[in-house]
Amino acid sequence: MTAAGPGKSPGQAAYGLHWFRRDLRVAGNPALRWAWSQHGGRVLGIFCFDAQFLARPDFSADRFAFFLATLKELRDELRACGGDLWVADRVPLDAFASLVQKLDDAGIRRPATVTFNRDYEPFARRRDEAVTTLLRDSLGIPVHTESDHLLIEPEELRKETAGKNDTHYFQVYSAFARRWFELLGSARVRARVAAQEQGLAYLERPERQRRGHGNDSLATPFALTWPALFFNDAHAHAHAAPPEDHLDRFIAANAPRVRVPLPPAGSGAALQRLKTFAAQHLSSYKVERDLPGIDATSRLSIYLKNGSFTAAQVIAHLKLGDATFGEGSGRSSFLREIVWREFYTHVLWHRPDVETRAFLPQFRDLAWENRPDWFEAWKAGRTGYPIVDAGMRQLAETGWMHNRVRMIVASFLTKDLLIDWRWGERYFMERLLDGDLAPNNGGWQWAASTGCDPQPYFRIFNPTLQSKRFDPAGGYLRQFLPERRTDDDRNIHQPRTPIVEHAIQKEKALALYRGQGQAKQGG
């Protein structure tokens, strides 16, 4: 560790600030690690709650609760190993500006650097550009960023050649994934995966060691806290005090609004979930991943969203660096699902407009029927179609839904009920614990046939056939539909007083899409 030096108080030695966002972990955090190495462990964490985020129409109190639990795990871990986290109740621009003013008023040295890991959503890109300008140009503080949320960033994966009317980015998943797997074997990407081995080794230590308890404690990796910065500085004014932390207040205020049980939060919980999945289901994942009656999926999406675990860590732990796109194994099938997340994030980077409108221009003005009563029946799991209703009730009861069922209920909303995909996308974001803009938007546009590399509009899921194929014994249906539990294995899949007839709605959907596509071509 770097000492303050003769004649200097701890508060006057150089230190860094790390701005946490979608990287809520200590283990294998690239930008945090860089700051730690630059300042001998003298790094302080900051997290800023943005008012725009909390005021979004698709805000989820359940997801927010899990996010807060993850933040608490992070704060506790940082404090246990000699560091600290300040959770600010203000937007980043205001938080950084007010913090620097507070430091100046107290006679405390400004941070030597501010670090963060890059984000790729439209709002985040605007926010990060504004904060970087403030820090560098107005406050004179250098900024250092790293890649973390994605293993391969959008500007690293582009078409090598593009025709006159072609794009420089991939719009078809299979082509994107083949190139992604090729880059997985490159020295640059291999190094990113290898760098996570140290973080995973840290997570593998007993919690008593990682958190510095008892005789098993190791040397604390961090060397500065917020109180120490303010109270141990001989040059600081007597009235100086660290900024108030608001995390506990947020947790208490949000707790009464939580509707579903929350899984364990934090990097350690994510690693344990991955280990269980790998031991029990990875080898058979290619087949079992489509069966909602079996808990055979990783359920890592909730951790991947907030960065308490990353794709690079999954690959490092499972030793997937040599996997190939065409490999027919469970491990390759699982990795291809992770690549879907990266694909949709790349699409959002290149086409930020898809956040609010269809990727395909010919389907931007579809004449959706948008019946509110049908939408309410869909949300409540009262459509009469067992697989649809089971999925929607699973979502309401648990904050999660099996991926195969997500596709089925999305197809039903858009192709059977003829309701705008954006209604469903927003509702999913309101209820999903793992709600994430890019994969949620991409998945809904895929199902609605309006997006990048979509399900062709003329392929419309038959919910009854899907139920029979992927839940043949009806175990999933019986779990979430108590009124159907006494049905035999054959009858349990049949609709009961359905709000629409699938065959009729299918023809209406085909006419809707054909008419819109022809109109656009004619125009």
Side-chain angles (χ1 to χ4, degrees):
M1 298 298 175
T2 302
K8 283 190 175 183
S9 68
Q12 288 298 311
Y15 65 97
L17 285 185
H18 180 73
W19 180 21
F20 286 96
R21 300 101 60 76
R22 293 175 67 115
D23 59 331
L24 303 187
R25 71 189 192 285
V26 173
N29 187 316
L32 179 62
R33 175 71 186 185
W34 183 92
W36 181 91
S37 65
Q38 290 293 306
H39 305 296
R42 291 175 52 80
V43 185
L44 290 168
I46 178 174
F47 183 90
C48 308
F49 278 114
D50 198 302
Q52 293 186 51
F53 164 75
L54 298 178
R56 284 180 62 102
D58 58 3
F59 171 79
S60 167
D62 300 324
R63 189 167 61 254
F64 189 43
F66 183 78
F67 194 88
L68 292 170
T70 306
L71 268 179
K72 186 177 185 304
E73 281 287 315
L74 174 63
R75 186 186 66 179
D76 292 349
E77 183 171 8
L78 283 168
R79 289 179 176 177
C81 56
D84 209 350
L85 175 68
W86 169 43
V87 176
D89 184 18
R90 55 182 62 196
V91 297
L93 281 172
D94 291 346
F96 281 109
S98 65
L99 173 63
V100 169
Q101 185 64 57
K102 188 177 183 68
L103 294 171
D104 290 349
D105 292 344
I108 300 174
R109 181 176 183 168
R110 293 180 179 184
T113 61
V114 171
T115 55
F116 59 87
N117 292 301
R118 294 186 282 274
D119 200 348
Y120 309 95
E121 294 183 359
F123 169 76
R125 293 167 65 182
R126 296 190 298 269
R127 175 202 63 199
D128 293 353
E129 183 178 357
V131 170
T132 299
T133 299
L134 170 73
L135 291 169
R136 285 178 175 169
D137 299 345
S138 300
L139 302 177
I141 302 175
V143 173
H144 179 86
T145 69
E146 295 277 354
S147 64
D148 180 57
H149 186 64
L150 293 176
L151 179 61
I152 301 173
E153 295 188 292
E155 295 304 324
E156 296 179 308
L157 199 163
R158 303 162 69 96
K159 293 181 180 178
E160 296 180 357
T161 59
K164 181 179 180 180
N165 297 319
D166 200 2
T167 61
H168 60 275
Y169 64 95
F170 289 98
Q171 300 181 46
V172 176
Y173 168 77
S174 58
F176 173 92
R178 287 190 182 94
R179 180 59 180 151
W180 191 96
F181 272 85
E182 290 174 2
L183 291 175
L184 178 61
S186 68
R188 180 176 68 251
V189 177
R190 284 203 310 269
R192 291 175 189 167
V193 174
Q196 292 300 325
E197 293 178 359
Q198 184 177 1
L200 291 172
Y202 166 80
L203 282 178
E204 292 284 6
R205 296 172 180 169
E207 186 172 356
R208 289 177 58 83
Q209 289 185 343
R210 286 193 286 114
R211 305 217 174 184
H213 297 304
N215 296 327
D216 295 329
S217 64
L218 303 174
T220 55
F222 293 93
L224 186 63
T225 66
W226 283 104
L229 179 68
F230 280 82
F231 295 145
N232 294 343
D233 186 353
H235 299 278
H237 294 179
H239 65 270
E244 180 184 0
D245 186 89
H246 294 273
L247 177 57
D248 293 336
R249 181 171 62 81
F250 274 111
I251 292 173
N254 189 66
R257 306 164 62 190
V258 178
R259 298 164 292 192
V260 299
L262 302 180
S267 301
L271 179 58
Q272 290 306 310
R273 177 68 198 181
L274 177 59
K275 285 183 175 182
T276 300
F277 164 74
Q280 299 179 1
H281 299 290
L282 181 60
S283 62
S284 55
Y285 179 78
K286 184 177 181 180
V287 175
E288 290 184 345
R289 67 186 178 91
D290 275 323
L291 307 177
I294 302 175
D295 186 16
T297 60
S298 73
R299 298 209 187 194
L300 284 175
S301 54
I302 192 171
Y303 303 104
L304 296 173
K305 175 198 163 39
N306 64 35
S308 49
F309 217 73
T310 67
Q313 291 178 317
V314 171
I315 294 168
H317 179 74
L318 297 181
K319 310 298 183 186
L320 298 178
D322 61 344
T324 61
F325 175 73
E327 186 179 333
S329 65
R331 61 201 294 269
S332 182
S333 297
F334 176 59
L335 187 52
R336 285 196 295 272
E337 292 302 306
I338 292 178
V339 178
W340 269 107
R341 297 180 63 87
E342 300 227 341
F343 173 63
Y344 285 138
T345 304
H346 281 232
V347 171
L348 185 62
W349 168 274
H350 292 292
R351 286 284 305 276
D353 61 298
V354 301
E355 182 178 3
T356 57
R357 66 174 185 172
F359 180 92
L360 297 176
Q362 65 267 34
F363 294 134
R364 286 179 186 156
D365 299 313
L366 287 170
W368 304 105
E369 293 189 2
N370 289 341
R371 283 186 52 169
D373 56 336
W374 286 359
F375 185 55
E376 292 302 316
W378 176 82
K379 289 196 299 182
R382 301 292 180 189
T383 69
Y385 286 88
I387 192 67
V388 175
D389 294 342
M392 299 308 296
R393 295 190 204 178
Q394 180 184 32
L395 176 61
E397 294 173 20
T398 70
W400 187 82
M401 188 191 299
H402 188 278
N403 190 60
R404 166 56 59 174
V405 185
R406 294 188 197 199
M407 292 189 285
I408 295 171
V409 303
S411 176
F412 187 84
L413 183 75
T414 56
K415 305 289 181 64
D416 284 69
L417 301 185
L418 304 179
I419 290 175
D420 193 327
W421 59 270
R422 285 166 290 201
W423 290 30
E425 179 199 30
R426 174 173 166 174
Y427 183 70
F428 266 30
M429 288 296 287
E430 291 173 6
R431 299 307 301 249
L432 283 171
L433 288 172
D434 64 354
D436 199 348
L437 173 58
N440 189 51
N441 178 278
W444 271 96
Q445 293 223 42
W446 180 90
S449 303
T450 64
C452 196
D453 194 15
Q455 167 92 328
Y457 75 84
F458 49 83
R459 292 181 182 171
I460 299 176
F461 284 170
N462 181 316
T464 303
L465 296 181
Q466 290 281 311
S467 183
K468 291 178 178 179
R469 179 179 178 184
F470 296 111
D471 188 34
Y476 177 75
L477 301 183
R478 291 187 177 89
Q479 182 178 358
F480 294 102
L481 301 177
E483 70 273 23
R484 303 296 297 262
R485 284 175 185 163
T486 59
D487 289 8
D488 60 38
D489 291 356
R490 179 178 179 181
N491 290 328
I492 195 170
H493 302 284
Q494 298 303 317
R496 183 180 294 172
T497 60
I499 59 173
V500 295
E501 291 294 333
H502 171 71
I504 295 174
Q505 296 302 111
K506 177 181 178 179
E507 293 305 314
K508 292 177 67 175
L510 291 173
L512 174 68
Y513 280 85
R514 284 176 184 146
Q516 186 65 36
Q518 293 170 358
K520 287 291 183 181
Q521 291 176 359

mmCIF file of all heavy atoms in Angstrom, residues 6 33 38 52 57 62 90 101 136 159 161 169 185 196 269 277 305 312 325 333 343 345 348 391 400-401 419:
data_model
loop_
_atom_site.group_PDB
_atom_site.id
_atom_site.type_symbol
_atom_site.label_atom_id
_atom_site.label_comp_id
_atom_site.label_asym_id
_atom_site.label_seq_id
_atom_site.Cartn_x
_atom_site.Cartn_y
_atom_site.Cartn_z
ATOM 1 N N PRO A 6 5.840 11.464 4.584
ATOM 2 C CA PRO A 6 6.176 12.299 5.735
ATOM 3 C C PRO A 6 5.533 13.675 5.624
ATOM 4 O O PRO A 6 5.564 14.314 4.590
ATOM 5 C CB PRO A 6 7.704 12.390 5.655
ATOM 6 C CG PRO A 6 8.123 11.236 4.799
ATOM 7 C CD PRO A 6 7.016 11.013 3.844
ATOM 8 N N ARG A 33 -10.164 -1.856 -10.294
ATOM 9 C CA ARG A 33 -8.821 -2.429 -10.156
ATOM 10 C C ARG A 33 -7.766 -1.432 -10.639
ATOM 11 O O ARG A 33 -6.709 -1.279 -10.013
ATOM 12 C CB ARG A 33 -8.730 -3.728 -10.951
ATOM 13 C CG ARG A 33 -7.342 -4.352 -10.994
ATOM 14 C CD ARG A 33 -6.937 -4.935 -9.664
ATOM 15 N NE ARG A 33 -5.556 -5.416 -9.679
ATOM 16 C CZ ARG A 33 -4.991 -6.047 -8.669
ATOM 17 N NH1 ARG A 33 -5.680 -6.299 -7.574
ATOM 18 N NH2 ARG A 33 -3.734 -6.433 -8.734
ATOM 19 N N GLN A 38 -3.434 2.396 -9.172
ATOM 20 C CA GLN A 38 -2.877 3.735 -9.321
ATOM 21 C C GLN A 38 -2.667 4.420 -7.982
ATOM 22 O O GLN A 38 -1.741 5.234 -7.823
ATOM 23 C CB GLN A 38 -3.802 4.594 -10.186
ATOM 24 C CG GLN A 38 -3.845 4.201 -11.649
ATOM 25 C CD GLN A 38 -2.531 4.463 -12.354
ATOM 26 O OE1 GLN A 38 -2.002 5.577 -12.331
ATOM 27 N NE2 GLN A 38 -1.989 3.437 -12.990
ATOM 28 N N GLN A 52 -34.219 10.760 -13.019
ATOM 29 C CA GLN A 52 -34.884 10.310 -14.246
ATOM 30 C C GLN A 52 -35.102 8.804 -14.210
ATOM 31 O O GLN A 52 -36.116 8.300 -14.691
ATOM 32 C CB GLN A 52 -34.059 10.707 -15.466
ATOM 33 C CG GLN A 52 -33.985 12.204 -15.692
ATOM 34 C CD GLN A 52 -33.281 12.537 -16.997
ATOM 35 O OE1 GLN A 52 -33.619 12.015 -18.059
ATOM 36 N NE2 GLN A 52 -32.278 13.391 -16.923
ATOM 37 N N PRO A 57 -41.529 5.523 -16.368
ATOM 38 C CA PRO A 57 -42.856 4.898 -16.285
ATOM 39 C C PRO A 57 -42.794 3.388 -16.101
ATOM 40 O O PRO A 57 -43.763 2.790 -15.614
ATOM 41 C CB PRO A 57 -43.506 5.276 -17.625
ATOM 42 C CG PRO A 57 -42.366 5.612 -18.540
ATOM 43 C CD PRO A 57 -41.314 6.198 -17.670
ATOM 44 N N ASP A 62 -39.859 -3.856 -7.313
ATOM 45 C CA ASP A 62 -39.237 -5.148 -7.028
ATOM 46 C C ASP A 62 -37.787 -5.166 -7.505
ATOM 47 O O ASP A 62 -36.880 -5.567 -6.773
ATOM 48 C CB ASP A 62 -40.019 -6.267 -7.710
ATOM 49 C CG ASP A 62 -41.457 -6.341 -7.245
ATOM 50 O OD1 ASP A 62 -41.702 -6.086 -6.053
ATOM 51 O OD2 ASP A 62 -42.336 -6.629 -8.075
ATOM 52 N N ARG A 90 -28.818 12.142 -5.531
ATOM 53 C CA ARG A 90 -28.878 13.198 -6.543
ATOM 54 C C ARG A 90 -28.254 12.690 -7.839
ATOM 55 O O ARG A 90 -27.555 11.685 -7.844
ATOM 56 C CB ARG A 90 -28.150 14.452 -6.071
ATOM 57 C CG ARG A 90 -26.704 14.241 -5.641
ATOM 58 C CD ARG A 90 -26.070 15.538 -5.145
ATOM 59 N NE ARG A 90 -26.749 16.047 -3.971
ATOM 60 C CZ ARG A 90 -26.609 17.302 -3.530
ATOM 61 N NH1 ARG A 90 -25.845 18.147 -4.175
ATOM 62 N NH2 ARG A 90 -27.235 17.695 -2.443
ATOM 63 N N GLN A 101 -17.120 20.719 -4.425
ATOM 64 C CA GLN A 101 -17.272 21.963 -3.670
ATOM 65 C C GLN A 101 -17.090 21.716 -2.176
ATOM 66 O O GLN A 101 -16.444 22.506 -1.471
ATOM 67 C CB GLN A 101 -18.642 22.570 -3.944
ATOM 68 C CG GLN A 101 -18.861 23.931 -3.295
ATOM 69 C CD GLN A 101 -17.911 24.974 -3.842
ATOM 70 O OE1 GLN A 101 -17.881 25.218 -5.050
ATOM 71 N NE2 GLN A 101 -17.120 25.590 -2.973
ATOM 72 N N ARG A 136 -13.522 16.557 -16.457
ATOM 73 C CA ARG A 136 -12.273 16.906 -17.131
ATOM 74 C C ARG A 136 -12.142 18.407 -17.387
ATOM 75 O O ARG A 136 -11.102 19.008 -17.079
ATOM 76 C CB ARG A 136 -12.182 16.149 -18.460
ATOM 77 C CG ARG A 136 -11.855 14.677 -18.326
ATOM 78 C CD ARG A 136 -11.827 13.998 -19.689
ATOM 79 N NE ARG A 136 -11.397 12.607 -19.587
ATOM 80 C CZ ARG A 136 -11.488 11.727 -20.582
ATOM 81 N NH1 ARG A 136 -12.015 12.088 -21.748
ATOM 82 N NH2 ARG A 136 -11.063 10.488 -20.408
ATOM 83 N N LYS A 159 -18.683 -5.383 -39.270
ATOM 84 C CA LYS A 159 -18.469 -6.085 -40.538
ATOM 85 C C LYS A 159 -17.149 -5.630 -41.143
ATOM 86 O O LYS A 159 -16.822 -4.441 -41.138
ATOM 87 C CB LYS A 159 -19.606 -5.785 -41.514
ATOM 88 C CG LYS A 159 -20.956 -6.354 -41.097
ATOM 89 C CD LYS A 159 -22.013 -6.013 -42.138
ATOM 90 C CE LYS A 159 -23.372 -6.571 -41.749
ATOM 91 N NZ LYS A 159 -24.425 -6.201 -42.729
ATOM 92 N N THR A 161 -16.378 -5.849 -44.289
ATOM 93 C CA THR A 161 -16.736 -5.148 -45.525
ATOM 94 C C THR A 161 -18.232 -4.905 -45.514
ATOM 95 O O THR A 161 -19.008 -5.720 -45.014
ATOM 96 C CB THR A 161 -16.352 -5.955 -46.775
ATOM 97 O OG1 THR A 161 -17.022 -7.227 -46.740
ATOM 98 C CG2 THR A 161 -14.844 -6.172 -46.839
ATOM 99 N N TYR A 169 -22.666 -2.767 -39.077
ATOM 100 C CA TYR A 169 -22.881 -3.636 -37.925
ATOM 101 C C TYR A 169 -23.799 -4.786 -38.327
ATOM 102 O O TYR A 169 -24.563 -4.699 -39.295
ATOM 103 C CB TYR A 169 -23.482 -2.861 -36.754
ATOM 104 C CG TYR A 169 -24.865 -2.295 -37.016
ATOM 105 C CD1 TYR A 169 -26.012 -2.992 -36.639
ATOM 106 C CD2 TYR A 169 -25.033 -1.066 -37.645
ATOM 107 C CE1 TYR A 169 -27.275 -2.482 -36.875
ATOM 108 C CE2 TYR A 169 -26.286 -0.550 -37.886
ATOM 109 C CZ TYR A 169 -27.402 -1.259 -37.503
ATOM 110 O OH TYR A 169 -28.655 -0.750 -37.759
ATOM 111 N N GLY A 185 -11.564 -15.993 -29.369
ATOM 112 C CA GLY A 185 -10.247 -16.627 -29.419
ATOM 113 C C GLY A 185 -9.098 -15.670 -29.646
ATOM 114 O O GLY A 185 -7.938 -16.090 -29.674
ATOM 115 N N GLN A 196 -10.190 -12.153 -15.297
ATOM 116 C CA GLN A 196 -11.242 -12.424 -14.320
ATOM 117 C C GLN A 196 -10.917 -13.590 -13.401
ATOM 118 O O GLN A 196 -11.602 -13.805 -12.401
ATOM 119 C CB GLN A 196 -12.570 -12.692 -15.041
ATOM 120 C CG GLN A 196 -13.141 -11.476 -15.734
ATOM 121 C CD GLN A 196 -13.422 -10.336 -14.775
ATOM 122 O OE1 GLN A 196 -13.801 -10.569 -13.634
ATOM 123 N NE2 GLN A 196 -13.223 -9.116 -15.231
ATOM 124 N N ALA A 269 -23.360 -14.688 -4.316
ATOM 125 C CA ALA A 269 -24.593 -15.410 -4.634
ATOM 126 C C ALA A 269 -24.636 -15.789 -6.108
ATOM 127 O O ALA A 269 -25.087 -16.882 -6.472
ATOM 128 C CB ALA A 269 -25.803 -14.555 -4.275
ATOM 129 N N PHE A 277 -25.876 -24.434 -11.292
ATOM 130 C CA PHE A 277 -26.318 -24.653 -12.667
ATOM 131 C C PHE A 277 -25.329 -25.526 -13.426
ATOM 132 O O PHE A 277 -25.716 -26.467 -14.134
ATOM 133 C CB PHE A 277 -26.487 -23.305 -13.364
ATOM 134 C CG PHE A 277 -26.567 -23.402 -14.865
ATOM 135 C CD1 PHE A 277 -27.702 -23.885 -15.484
ATOM 136 C CD2 PHE A 277 -25.490 -23.002 -15.656
ATOM 137 C CE1 PHE A 277 -27.783 -23.981 -16.868
ATOM 138 C CE2 PHE A 277 -25.558 -23.092 -17.035
ATOM 139 C CZ PHE A 277 -26.699 -23.586 -17.646
ATOM 140 N N LYS A 305 -27.360 -8.188 -15.235
ATOM 141 C CA LYS A 305 -27.924 -6.858 -15.449
ATOM 142 C C LYS A 305 -27.212 -5.799 -14.628
ATOM 143 O O LYS A 305 -26.860 -4.740 -15.141
ATOM 144 C CB LYS A 305 -29.418 -6.847 -15.111
ATOM 145 C CG LYS A 305 -30.013 -5.441 -15.201
ATOM 146 C CD LYS A 305 -31.318 -5.282 -14.492
ATOM 147 C CE LYS A 305 -31.671 -3.832 -14.246
ATOM 148 N NZ LYS A 305 -31.354 -2.901 -15.316
ATOM 149 N N ALA A 312 -17.715 -12.251 -18.918
ATOM 150 C CA ALA A 312 -16.317 -12.671 -18.845
ATOM 151 C C ALA A 312 -16.078 -13.606 -17.673
ATOM 152 O O ALA A 312 -15.310 -14.578 -17.776
ATOM 153 C CB ALA A 312 -15.407 -11.445 -18.740
ATOM 154 N N PHE A 325 -19.009 -21.650 -32.189
ATOM 155 C CA PHE A 325 -20.408 -21.341 -32.478
ATOM 156 C C PHE A 325 -21.186 -22.583 -32.897
ATOM 157 O O PHE A 325 -22.319 -22.794 -32.468
ATOM 158 C CB PHE A 325 -20.489 -20.287 -33.583
ATOM 159 C CG PHE A 325 -21.900 -19.999 -34.019
ATOM 160 C CD1 PHE A 325 -22.751 -19.270 -33.208
ATOM 161 C CD2 PHE A 325 -22.377 -20.461 -35.239
ATOM 162 C CE1 PHE A 325 -24.058 -19.002 -33.599
ATOM 163 C CE2 PHE A 325 -23.680 -20.204 -35.643
ATOM 164 C CZ PHE A 325 -24.513 -19.469 -34.809
ATOM 165 N N SER A 333 -24.287 -24.061 -26.254
ATOM 166 C CA SER A 333 -25.657 -23.549 -26.300
ATOM 167 C C SER A 333 -25.862 -22.480 -25.241
ATOM 168 O O SER A 333 -26.505 -21.450 -25.489
ATOM 169 C CB SER A 333 -26.653 -24.695 -26.080
ATOM 170 O OG SER A 333 -26.568 -25.647 -27.115
ATOM 171 N N PHE A 343 -25.580 -9.215 -28.395
ATOM 172 C CA PHE A 343 -26.111 -8.825 -29.702
ATOM 173 C C PHE A 343 -27.119 -7.692 -29.565
ATOM 174 O O PHE A 343 -27.028 -6.663 -30.247
ATOM 175 C CB PHE A 343 -26.753 -10.042 -30.365
ATOM 176 C CG PHE A 343 -27.489 -9.749 -31.648
ATOM 177 C CD1 PHE A 343 -26.821 -9.249 -32.760
ATOM 178 C CD2 PHE A 343 -28.863 -9.974 -31.751
ATOM 179 C CE1 PHE A 343 -27.506 -8.984 -33.947
ATOM 180 C CE2 PHE A 343 -29.541 -9.718 -32.919
ATOM 181 C CZ PHE A 343 -28.864 -9.223 -34.027
ATOM 182 N N THR A 345 -27.471 -5.596 -27.150
ATOM 183 C CA THR A 345 -26.824 -4.374 -26.668
ATOM 184 C C THR A 345 -26.086 -3.683 -27.803
ATOM 185 O O THR A 345 -26.089 -2.446 -27.896
ATOM 186 C CB THR A 345 -25.856 -4.690 -25.517
ATOM 187 O OG1 THR A 345 -26.582 -5.365 -24.473
ATOM 188 C CG2 THR A 345 -25.243 -3.420 -24.949
ATOM 189 N N LEU A 348 -28.682 -1.870 -29.879
ATOM 190 C CA LEU A 348 -29.116 -0.641 -29.211
ATOM 191 C C LEU A 348 -28.059 0.448 -29.318
ATOM 192 O O LEU A 348 -28.384 1.630 -29.445
ATOM 193 C CB LEU A 348 -29.431 -0.940 -27.744
ATOM 194 C CG LEU A 348 -30.007 0.210 -26.916
ATOM 195 C CD1 LEU A 348 -31.351 0.666 -27.476
ATOM 196 C CD2 LEU A 348 -30.151 -0.209 -25.450
ATOM 197 N N GLY A 391 -47.501 -18.452 -17.446
ATOM 198 C CA GLY A 391 -46.353 -17.567 -17.547
ATOM 199 C C GLY A 391 -46.591 -16.224 -16.891
ATOM 200 O O GLY A 391 -45.738 -15.707 -16.152
ATOM 201 N N TRP A 400 -40.093 -13.228 -12.246
ATOM 202 C CA TRP A 400 -39.265 -13.901 -13.264
ATOM 203 C C TRP A 400 -40.167 -14.770 -14.120
ATOM 204 O O TRP A 400 -41.245 -15.175 -13.687
ATOM 205 C CB TRP A 400 -38.182 -14.757 -12.589
ATOM 206 C CG TRP A 400 -37.185 -15.358 -13.538
ATOM 207 C CD1 TRP A 400 -36.083 -14.750 -14.071
ATOM 208 C CD2 TRP A 400 -37.187 -16.707 -14.053
ATOM 209 N NE1 TRP A 400 -35.403 -15.639 -14.892
ATOM 210 C CE2 TRP A 400 -36.059 -16.845 -14.890
ATOM 211 C CE3 TRP A 400 -38.039 -17.798 -13.889
ATOM 212 C CZ2 TRP A 400 -35.756 -18.024 -15.561
ATOM 213 C CZ3 TRP A 400 -37.735 -18.983 -14.556
ATOM 214 C CH2 TRP A 400 -36.605 -19.086 -15.378
ATOM 215 N N MET A 401 -39.737 -15.030 -15.356
ATOM 216 C CA MET A 401 -40.470 -15.931 -16.235
ATOM 217 C C MET A 401 -39.471 -16.700 -17.083
ATOM 218 O O MET A 401 -38.457 -16.151 -17.528
ATOM 219 C CB MET A 401 -41.427 -15.154 -17.150
ATOM 220 C CG MET A 401 -42.373 -16.046 -17.964
ATOM 221 S SD MET A 401 -43.266 -15.143 -19.269
ATOM 222 C CE MET A 401 -44.179 -13.947 -18.302
ATOM 223 N N ILE A 419 -51.899 -6.472 -29.870
ATOM 224 C CA ILE A 419 -51.564 -5.349 -28.997
ATOM 225 C C ILE A 419 -50.109 -4.955 -29.226
ATOM 226 O O ILE A 419 -49.232 -5.815 -29.352
ATOM 227 C CB ILE A 419 -51.814 -5.710 -27.519
ATOM 228 C CG1 ILE A 419 -53.333 -5.826 -27.275
ATOM 229 C CG2 ILE A 419 -51.194 -4.698 -26.561
ATOM 230 C CD1 ILE A 419 -53.704 -6.286 -25.881
#
